[in-house]
Amino acid sequence: MVEGAERMAGSLRNRLFGLRELVDELAFRAPARLAVTVFACVVVLFAILLMVPFATADGEGARLVDALFTAVSAVCVTGLVVQDTATYWSLYGQIVILAGIKVGGFGIMTVASLLGMIVSRKIGLTQKLLTASETKTSRLGDVGSLIRVIIITATTLELSIALLIFPRLVVIEENVGTAAWHALFYGISAFNNAGFVPTTEGLMPHVGDWALLLPIALGVFIGALGFPVILNIQRALPRPGQRWHNWTKRLSLHSKLTLVTSGALLVVGALLLLVLEWTNPATFGPLTLGQKLLAALFAGIMPRSGGFSTVDVGAMTESSWLIQDALMFVGGGSASTAGGIKVTTLAVMLLAIVAEARGDRDIEAFGRRIPRDVLRLSIAVVFTGASIVLVSCIALLEVTDLPLSQVLFEVLSAFATVGLSTGITFDLPDAGKYVLALLMFVGRTGAVTVVAVLALRDRRRIVRFPEERPIIG
């Protein structure tokens, strides 16, 4: 009997190693295509889990379009919903959604590398290359450290958010068990920038509650920075006994650009929304000064990919929608749980404009020169993202009778995996739901990755054509 168990274990190990070799071969030949394929398989798996009858509160099971949309929204950490999370889904369904958020937050390639560590007790070269591509880590030696940071940081921050808001939720819910579940749900959803809420009314009844909203907002902001930045900050911070003087000099250029640009977008976005909504009777108007400041701060953070809201987004002015459109399109940091074109892309574009205006030959920031190919990649990301948004808007306009302002907002929310909505998602026809589901998938996997799957390999020319400068502008 023991020998039989050993043979079965040996056979299982051989199959696992054979599967790993197959994945290695596919990763070597077409890593981007493998990444998208694995991500799609995970979405399908969660959709199937949500289609079982006991996943819904009424026990009748969800329709394919609703299960697929919810699975994509959860795995892509978006937060757009076509059915109320609190009332439509059972406890099992909510647990599946939460698991989808966790998987999406970690990143499919990171999870694959973790599984590789469990099987082989080490990360192979291919797994390191895949994870480096997913997490935007430039040195292979950083990958193992980054995975540990992902596990420790994500879990610690999720639990920290849950513990911080738990006492307040006990008062609100008046039930320790419900408060604990909601605290955990909010903790995971906030750090992963998912935007899912476990209650029908969400956070709107607590618009002035600093004790509840501030930890959630902080968790969203940190989650949107990206794990490479978190890893870099952890390494740059002084050790016990060391001085704090000039510790920021140990930060990488990527970290500095991410932190500065994220902070600037937060301040500008919050101030603009505060001014535009100050007298709006349906949003900030009835609030006290302290509540308005908190609501503006919260609203300034959430379009970066958080997706939570404390006021009715549908009742905001169109000017406020436009500000949030811009913030959503930019998104968060690279290799973060946020979507969009990423803040470093915006930073490089702005630095290039400044350099051109000054007549500088090089693009420089914080005493470093940014290579020209980074600018070219930034332009490709912006153009690809804008093209995807344009096509999606046209498609959604064709299948609905909605105005462009609402369609653009919803499309950008899906593309940047934000989750904010003007209230139209619930009433979309099935065709519109499929459009947004595909858009969330593209937004999470990355526009450049999707293009790389379809594009031919880069050609290296030995003979290059003569150079000639066209007229620009």
Side-chain angles (χ1 to χ4, degrees):
M1 186 173 183
V2 175
E3 293 180 357
E6 290 178 350
R7 284 197 299 270
M8 289 180 63
S11 175
L12 179 60
R13 281 195 299 270
N14 290 335
R15 290 181 180 180
L16 287 174
F17 282 115
L19 178 62
R20 183 185 174 193
E21 290 177 359
L22 176 62
V23 172
D24 283 350
E25 183 179 355
L26 291 173
F28 179 77
R29 292 183 178 180
R33 190 172 303 173
L34 174 64
V36 174
T37 302
V38 172
F39 209 87
C41 291
V42 172
V43 168
V44 171
L45 172 63
F46 277 94
I48 293 173
L49 293 175
L50 287 173
M51 287 185 68
V52 298
F54 50 85
T56 57
D58 58 11
E60 296 182 0
R63 295 192 307 145
L64 172 61
V65 62
D66 293 337
L68 180 63
F69 189 98
T70 305
V72 174
S73 185
V75 175
C76 297
V77 290
T78 303
L80 286 175
V81 294
V82 289
Q83 298 291 347
D84 182 66
T85 305
T87 58
Y88 183 79
W89 301 104
S90 65
L91 178 61
Y92 162 82
Q94 294 177 18
I95 292 174
V96 170
I97 291 172
L98 206 60
I101 294 171
K102 284 289 291 182
V103 171
F106 275 115
I108 298 303
M109 288 299 98
T110 305
V111 172
S113 296
L114 289 173
L115 294 176
M117 288 179 64
I118 294 172
V119 173
S120 63
R121 304 290 182 179
K122 64 179 180 179
I123 300 180
L125 177 60
T126 303
Q127 277 75 23
K128 285 188 176 184
L129 290 171
L130 284 172
T131 310
S133 175
E134 166 70 14
T135 58
K136 307 300 186 295
T137 303
S138 57
R139 293 178 297 179
L140 293 181
D142 287 341
V143 175
S145 299
L146 187 59
I147 290 176
R148 288 191 292 272
V149 169
I150 291 174
I151 298 172
I152 296 171
T153 304
T155 305
T156 301
L157 287 174
E158 288 164 357
L159 292 177
S160 297
I161 297 168
L163 290 173
L164 285 172
I165 65 177
F166 174 69
R168 183 61 185 142
L169 287 175
V170 170
V171 176
I172 295 171
E173 303 289 349
E174 298 182 350
N175 182 291
V176 175
T178 303
W181 166 243
H182 288 175
L184 179 63
F185 198 104
Y186 274 120
I188 295 175
S189 185
F191 179 74
N192 291 285
N193 284 205
F196 279 88
V197 293
T199 57
T200 301
E201 64 276 8
L203 296 173
M204 291 179 64
H206 316 290
V207 62
D209 196 332
W210 286 84
L212 177 63
L213 299 183
L214 198 58
I216 292 176
L218 186 60
V220 169
F221 184 82
I222 294 174
L225 292 177
F227 289 113
V229 176
I230 296 174
L231 173 62
N232 190 222
I233 292 175
Q234 182 194 49
R235 291 179 173 178
L237 287 175
R239 299 293 181 265
Q242 293 181 340
R243 295 183 178 181
W244 285 78
H245 183 64
N246 290 334
W247 70 272
T248 55
K249 290 184 177 180
R250 293 190 289 271
L251 293 176
S252 66
L253 175 61
H254 170 75
S255 296
K256 292 177 181 178
L257 289 176
T258 300
L259 290 169
V260 171
T261 310
S262 297
L265 289 173
L266 168 60
V267 172
V268 172
L271 286 176
L272 288 174
L273 291 173
L274 181 64
V275 172
L276 292 171
E277 297 296 322
W278 184 271
T279 57
N280 188 340
T283 56
F284 290 9
L287 305 179
T288 64
L289 177 60
Q291 291 175 335
K292 286 181 178 179
L293 293 176
L294 177 58
L297 175 66
F298 201 81
I301 292 175
M302 292 308 138
R304 303 285 314 293
S305 199
F308 298 104
S309 59
T310 56
V311 296
D312 183 4
V313 177
M316 286 183 162
T317 64
E318 291 195 355
S319 298
S320 296
W321 287 353
L322 189 59
I323 297 299
Q324 293 175 89
D325 287 343
L327 292 174
M328 288 190 293
F329 185 68
V330 174
S334 297
S336 71
T337 51
I341 63 171
K342 305 298 186 295
V343 292
T344 45
T345 304
L346 174 65
V348 170
M349 297 287 287
L350 292 176
L351 289 170
I353 294 172
V354 171
E356 190 64 30
R358 291 178 175 177
D360 295 336
R361 181 177 181 181
D362 298 321
I363 305 172
E364 299 173 343
F366 299 104
R368 293 290 186 270
R369 177 170 53 85
I370 299 175
R372 286 283 176 179
D373 62 320
V374 175
L375 174 60
R376 189 170 65 176
L377 179 60
S378 299
I379 295 172
V381 169
V382 172
F383 182 80
T384 303
S387 300
I388 293 172
V389 169
L390 175 63
V391 172
S392 301
C393 281
I394 294 172
L396 207 57
L397 286 169
E398 288 297 313
V399 299
T400 66
D401 296 324
L402 296 167
L404 176 60
S405 57
Q406 286 185 298
V407 167
L408 178 62
F409 191 98
E410 219 76 8
V411 163
L412 283 168
S413 182
F415 169 74
T417 66
V418 176
L420 292 175
S421 175
T422 59
I424 66 173
T425 307
F426 278 92
D427 301 322
L428 286 177
D430 288 353
K433 293 177 183 178
Y434 283 122
V435 169
L436 289 187
L438 179 60
L439 190 56
M440 288 187 288
F441 181 82
V442 173
R444 180 55 185 162
T445 54
V448 174
T449 302
V450 173
V451 171
V453 172
L454 303 175
L456 297 173
R457 293 182 178 181
D458 184 28
R459 295 184 299 170
R460 300 288 183 179
R461 290 183 178 271
I462 299 176
V463 179
R464 301 171 68 185
F465 290 113
E467 184 180 271
E468 183 174 348
R469 185 183 300 272
I471 299 174
I472 301 297

